[in-house]
Amino acid sequence: MTYTIEYINNQSDLLSGVDLGYEIRNACEDEDITLWTMMTMTTSVGRYEYTETCPDQNRTNSGKVIGIVGTGRSASSIIAAKAGRVVTVPIVSYFATSDELSDSERFPFFFRTVPPDKFQVKVIVDILQHFNWKYIALFYSLDSYGIHGARQIVRLAEMYDICIAINMPVALPASEREITEIAQRLSEHDKVTVIVSFAVSRGALAVLEAVRMLNTSRQFTFIGSDGWSPRFRVLQEFADVLIGGIFVQFRSELPDTFPDYYSKLPNNHQQTSQWYQNVLNQIQVAENCTDWASCPLPKVHWNTQQVISAVYALAYALNASLEENSWQNGPSDRTIDGWLLKKKLLEVSIPSTGNNYFRFDENGEVPGTYQINNWQITNGVYGLVNVGKWDSHQETLLHLEENEFQWQTRDRKVPISLCIEICQAGYIEVPLEKKCCWGCQKCNDYAIVANENNASVCQDCSVTEWPNDDFKTCVPIHPSYLGYRNPVFILSIAGAVLGLILTASAGIGLCYYSEHSLIKASGRELCSINLFGLGFFCIVVALNLLRPTNVTCVVIDVCISTSFCISFAPVLLKVNRIWRIFSIKPSKKVRLKSPKSQVIMASCIILIEVLVAISSIFFGPSTPDLLIPPRRKPYLEIFCRFGYGFYASCAYNAFVIIACCYYAFKARRVPDNFNESKFIAVSVYSTLIVCLTAIPVYTTAIDVAQKIGALSVPLLVNTYLSLFCLYLPKIYAIHYQREDVQSTRGSTSVESSVSSQRPGQGPGTIFRKEAPQSVVL
């Protein structure tokens, strides 16, 4: 400050003919002392008096206070600004940053050469955002500076989704109880690793003492506001705790002419106070230099530039005020009005570094420009290292040199300050009871982790999809089908092959003994059709194991419905013929009982079924579909979903089968000689029961194996029942029983049957006594 005033007094183009004087007082960071100092300094405020004998002689002045530079704290600056309003004296502070002072109506005469805390708060929040520190502790001093700064941080933290786990004020000075409470709060929130301290140096010391009290291996990263700056020498006691800390300071530079001024300080006769001498001695002791000329130039102070700007602002404003009053050469006596000086302060434009100009806005404030420092240790020496800047004039506000940072973490990487459990793939973050803490919750096995409104949510895949390995994308499930190792597949093939062998054996036997009386009496033509249908059943069972496609599903549909009709149409005609023979009156002739007519009728019944099956291909075909398990699994099965045409064919076949059951029931009391109807009844009844059982099983089946089994069982059951009830016993009897025994038994049976009835009456009259070979066993 003294350098700047002397430099201005030596300039000829600024305040020509006027010398600035100054009086420096220490407010001791106390509001009461600030108020007393303001009142004593401004008691003679009112006029600026200037007398001059002649331009060539020494000037004498009797100066009164026209402006005040200071104070260095927001709380004391509020007191000074209120007093300045009363006496209309402009106050230009070099370090008061509280947003409370931005109210130009309350403090119309207050100016400052430092940006308000709203910029500094934005710097701190931008740093938190940059390093993704979302879980922090906030401590602030109980004064205007700390309270308003903390309020702004809380407001911005909510906007940027930053959780303040600890929000605690610190008294000035802090008591032991408060320090213990800070330590306790930090120990309770073990996930907090970043501490934001928006406090003056005394408040910062309390937080550091609390951290030291924890006596733990936890490493904290401090983010200090500019309020820490005046006492960094005091904070050296906690240098090891502060490693990795980030501190926001104003950008400041020493003028080029200051080194020369500094080297001549001991010879400056104007500095005669004991305070001045004490300061010089302290510098020599601190720098360990006995000769002042050998003392190194001190480092740039935290607000050097702001002090210089404050003095220049008052000087330029005073110069403009005097020019407006048309002050001319020669003795004069002018009044410097505080309102006029305020007006000129708002208009002042001072050349600054580069091509920039320092100027106030309508609230008496300046834009924000900060330097970001990192507390590091280099060669055993602790200190601040510039690692970035924040400039409100730039498009990209924050610029950091991340490689220049020194962190206190074990791996020397950026610290993590999140109360979030690291979730594995397939888990989402869910809130826990502790404030702002998140745990992990597993999604369903069939759900992926999606981002919705900047939050992770479980999103179910469709029934035909399943999450990939990292649970971020749903991928289609490749549908599977019945494998050849499946027991149902093996049993179905075995049953079909055995059925074909037995059917072929029965067919061979039927052909070999085609002239035998038992074969003739059974109806060789209808038996042949029936055997073909039974063999077709076995083929259909094998076809049913093919992988479903549009073609295979249609083929299976048609084959199933047709095979049933081929199998049961001749059975229906056989049992109907038996019933008609024994139920018709003797005087009437039984019609349509010849083999030819029976074959024609069977063909017509089968043809109708074929037409229905073919029509179903066009109007309601069966198509492949996916079978979705009731409990979601990472697999699907494909099967043939039968169309409406298949159900129409089934209805027709059901009519044929029921008709078989009906006539088999009607013919249940025929003579024992004609007991084939009973075997037919057993076969048909059993098939009907199995089919009725298979329908609900097929409908409710939860996998393809059950559906295949439900379709295969009725086909194979009907095949085996028909073979073992109608064909294989006959062939066995023909092959192993003696013809004479059969003839004798048949003759006796016929004689008994015929003798029990009158000639020309009853069923027995259609047989000749000497033709026992027509008897049916």
Side-chain angles (χ1 to χ4, degrees):
M1 183 173 180
T2 56
Y3 155 79
T4 306
I5 291 175
E6 292 183 14
Y7 188 82
I8 291 173
N9 288 337
N10 291 328
Q11 286 185 266
S12 59
D13 57 343
L14 180 61
L15 289 176
S16 178
V18 176
D19 281 344
L20 291 177
Y22 60 91
E23 181 178 342
I24 299 176
R25 298 191 183 186
N26 192 353
C28 301
E29 298 186 358
D30 185 274
E31 286 82 351
D32 295 334
I33 295 178
T34 299
L35 180 59
W36 178 84
T37 302
M38 284 293 300
M39 298 307 298
T40 58
M41 290 178 66
T42 58
T43 52
S44 60
V45 170
R47 294 172 60 85
Y48 178 89
E49 299 177 359
Y50 175 81
T51 59
E52 183 177 29
T53 56
C54 66
D56 298 326
Q57 297 180 358
N58 292 333
R59 292 173 290 180
T60 61
N61 57 41
S62 175
K64 298 180 180 180
V65 176
I66 61 168
I68 295 175
V69 176
T71 64
R73 288 186 61 227
S74 297
S76 55
S77 291
I78 291 174
I79 302 298
K82 287 182 177 181
R85 177 180 182 181
V86 173
V87 296
T88 64
V89 174
I91 309 293
V92 183
S93 175
Y94 53 84
F95 198 51
T97 59
S98 173
D99 288 320
E100 183 179 1
L101 291 164
S102 296
D103 189 347
S104 58
E105 293 185 1
R106 288 181 60 197
F107 312 106
F109 286 87
F110 180 77
F111 296 80
R112 51 184 164 188
T113 56
V114 290
D117 285 336
K118 64 182 180 181
F119 291 110
Q120 183 180 188
V121 167
K122 186 66 169 61
V123 175
I124 293 174
V125 173
D126 284 352
I127 293 173
L128 295 173
Q129 282 285 100
H130 180 82
F131 291 112
N132 195 33
W133 291 331
K134 298 292 186 178
Y135 192 67
I136 65 170
L138 172 62
F139 297 98
Y140 58 94
S141 54
L142 268 177
D143 56 3
S144 177
Y145 169 76
I147 293 172
H148 286 83
R151 183 183 301 168
Q152 290 283 354
I153 289 178
V154 171
R155 182 181 64 84
L156 282 183
E158 292 179 356
M159 294 175 57
Y160 291 98
D161 195 28
I162 298 172
C163 177
I164 301 177
I166 305 173
N167 187 0
M168 185 176 175
V170 180
L172 300 175
S175 63
E176 290 294 329
R177 180 179 178 182
E178 285 181 300
I179 294 174
T180 303
E181 184 180 355
I182 293 172
Q184 182 179 355
R185 296 283 296 277
L186 287 173
S187 64
E188 291 174 354
H189 296 78
D190 57 334
K191 297 294 184 180
V192 170
T193 61
V194 173
I195 298 176
V196 176
S197 178
F198 207 95
V200 294
S201 53
R202 285 186 295 171
L205 282 171
V207 179
L208 291 171
E209 289 176 6
V211 172
R212 181 72 60 82
M213 183 184 296
L214 281 176
N215 193 22
T216 178
S217 59
R218 285 174 63 188
Q219 305 295 334
F220 293 97
T221 300
F222 287 87
I223 299 181
S225 63
D226 54 25
W228 289 53
S229 300
R231 294 286 183 87
F232 269 118
R233 290 186 178 181
V234 178
L235 298 179
Q236 286 282 350
E237 178 185 353
F238 303 94
D240 58 329
V241 177
L242 289 172
I243 292 179
I246 301 174
F247 299 95
V248 179
Q249 292 182 329
F250 310 117
R251 297 188 64 184
S252 184
E253 298 178 1
L254 280 173
D256 295 337
T257 56
F258 183 78
D260 181 63
Y261 171 82
Y262 178 77
S263 64
K264 298 176 181 178
L265 277 179
N267 302 322
N268 193 332
H269 64 277
Q270 297 183 17
Q271 312 292 352
T272 58
S273 68
Q274 184 61 43
W275 170 86
Y276 172 76
Q277 296 298 331
N278 291 338
V279 168
L280 295 184
N281 293 333
Q282 289 175 6
I283 293 175
Q284 284 184 297
V285 172
E287 300 294 342
N288 192 22
C289 53
T290 56
D291 182 15
W292 185 260
S294 63
C295 288
L297 188 70
K299 296 180 180 179
V300 180
H301 203 243
W302 45 275
N303 61 347
T304 298
Q305 188 66 51
Q306 286 69 35
V307 173
I308 295 174
S309 297
V311 176
Y312 263 108
L314 282 172
Y316 272 87
L318 177 60
N319 186 71
S321 299
L322 293 174
E323 289 180 353
E324 186 167 311
N325 278 345
S326 300
W327 183 72
Q328 303 295 332
N329 294 333
S332 181
D333 191 5
R334 312 296 297 172
T335 297
I336 303 301
D337 181 65
W339 290 99
L340 176 61
L341 193 61
K342 172 193 173 183
K343 174 185 175 183
K344 296 305 177 181
L345 278 170
L346 291 174
E347 296 174 354
V348 73
S349 180
I350 308 171
S352 183
T353 57
N355 296 322
N356 298 324
Y357 282 84
F358 170 87
R359 58 174 58 89
F360 295 107
D361 63 12
E362 64 275 7
N363 295 320
E365 297 178 341
V366 293
T369 303
Y370 298 88
Q371 63 183 25
I372 313 300
N373 297 322
N374 180 230
W375 187 267
Q376 301 181 3
I377 178 172
T378 304
N379 298 324
V381 179
Y382 295 96
L384 291 173
V385 176
N386 187 8
V387 293
K389 64 179 182 179
W390 190 96
D391 194 341
S392 61
H393 298 94
Q394 303 297 323
E395 183 177 353
T396 302
L397 302 178
L398 180 65
H399 177 74
L400 296 175
E401 298 290 341
E402 293 194 31
N403 295 331
E404 301 295 328
F405 278 85
Q406 186 179 109
W407 305 109
Q408 198 170 188
T409 54
R410 291 185 178 88
D411 55 3
R412 300 301 179 185
K413 293 183 179 179
V414 178
I416 297 175
S417 191
L418 299 169
C419 191
I420 299 176
E421 184 180 348
I422 304 301
C423 296
Q424 300 176 0
Y427 288 77
I428 62 170
E429 299 169 356
V430 293
L432 302 178
E433 292 183 1
K434 186 178 288 188
K435 179 183 178 182
C436 300
C437 288
W438 297 75
C440 297
Q441 176 179 304
K442 191 177 187 307
C443 295
N444 292 326
D445 292 339
Y446 48 84
I448 61 173
V449 177
N451 193 309
E452 187 175 297
N453 297 326
N454 295 324
S456 297
V457 296
C458 294
Q459 181 177 311
D460 291 350
C461 295
S462 65
V463 294
T464 60
E465 295 178 322
W466 197 261
N468 61 352
D469 292 339
D470 59 1
F471 288 87
K472 292 184 178 180
T473 307
C474 294
V475 295
I477 301 174
H478 183 68
S480 59
Y481 191 61
L482 197 66
Y484 65 90
R485 294 182 179 180
N486 191 287
V488 174
F489 185 94
I490 296 173
L491 292 175
S492 297
I493 289 294
V497 171
L498 181 59
L500 281 174
I501 293 173
L502 293 177
T503 303
S505 301
I508 294 171
L510 192 68
C511 294
Y512 186 78
Y513 298 108
S514 60
E515 298 301 324
H516 195 278
S517 58
L518 291 180
I519 303 303
K520 290 182 178 180
S522 299
R524 291 173 296 184
E525 294 77 8
L526 294 179
C527 288
S528 300
I529 297 174
N530 181 246
L531 281 174
F532 178 77
L534 298 181
F536 201 2
F537 274 153
C538 298
I539 296 174
V540 171
V541 169
L543 291 175
N544 200 31
L545 299 175
L546 296 176
R547 185 177 182 86
T549 62
N550 290 325
V551 175
T552 57
C553 286
V554 170
V555 171
I556 293 172
D557 180 340
V558 173
C559 289
I560 289 177
S561 55
T562 304
S563 62
F564 266 99
C565 192
I566 294 174
S567 177
F568 283 96
V571 174
L572 171 62
L573 294 176
K574 286 177 65 175
V575 73
N576 173 265
R577 184 180 64 175
I578 294 173
W579 175 76
R580 287 188 294 116
I581 289 174
F582 285 94
S583 64
I584 196 172
K585 293 181 179 181
S587 58
K588 293 186 177 181
K589 184 179 180 180
V590 179
R591 298 181 179 181
L592 302 175
K593 67 177 182 177
S594 66
K596 183 178 179 180
S597 59
Q598 293 285 297
V599 171
I600 292 174
M601 286 189 293
S603 300
C604 292
I605 295 173
I606 295 172
L607 180 61
I608 294 173
E609 169 59 32
V610 172
L611 293 176
V612 173
I614 293 175
S615 300
S616 68
I617 298 175
F618 300 99
F619 298 103
S622 298
T623 55
D625 199 0
L626 296 176
L627 181 63
I628 300 170
R631 296 183 63 182
R632 295 284 297 274
K633 296 180 181 179
Y635 74 91
L636 296 173
E637 293 182 303
I638 190 170
F639 74 107
C640 287
R641 183 176 295 279
F642 295 119
Y644 295 113
F646 177 78
Y647 296 112
S649 299
C650 288
Y652 181 78
N653 285 324
F655 171 78
V656 174
I657 295 173
I658 292 172
C660 288
C661 294
Y662 172 77
Y663 286 113
F665 178 79
K666 297 285 286 183
R668 69 187 183 281
R669 293 183 179 178
V670 299
D672 293 340
N673 307 49
F674 305 93
N675 58 2
E676 187 179 26
S677 61
K678 296 179 181 179
F679 292 106
I680 293 175
V682 171
S683 173
V684 173
Y685 293 158
S686 301
T687 302
L688 181 61
I689 293 172
V690 172
C691 290
L692 292 176
T693 305
I695 291 174
V697 173
Y698 183 86
T699 304
T700 59
I702 60 174
D703 58 41
V704 169
Q706 294 179 5
K707 289 185 176 294
I708 296 298
L711 286 177
S712 300
V713 167
L715 299 175
L716 294 176
V717 166
N718 181 67
T719 300
Y720 287 108
L721 283 175
S722 298
L723 289 172
F724 284 101
C725 290
L726 300 179
Y727 299 105
L728 296 180
K730 291 180 183 179
I731 297 174
Y732 177 84
I734 294 172
H735 184 73
Y736 289 100
Q737 300 296 327
R738 290 174 13 194
E739 180 68 24
D740 56 347
V741 176
Q742 296 176 26
S743 300
T744 302
R745 289 181 179 176
S747 176
T748 305
S749 298
V750 172
E751 287 179 353
S752 175
S753 175
V754 173
S755 62
S756 63
Q757 307 208 17
R758 291 180 295 173
Q761 296 181 355
T765 57
I766 65 172
F767 296 100
R768 297 193 306 271
K769 181 178 179 180
E770 61 276 11
Q773 61 270 21
S774 63
V775 177
V776 179
L777 293 178

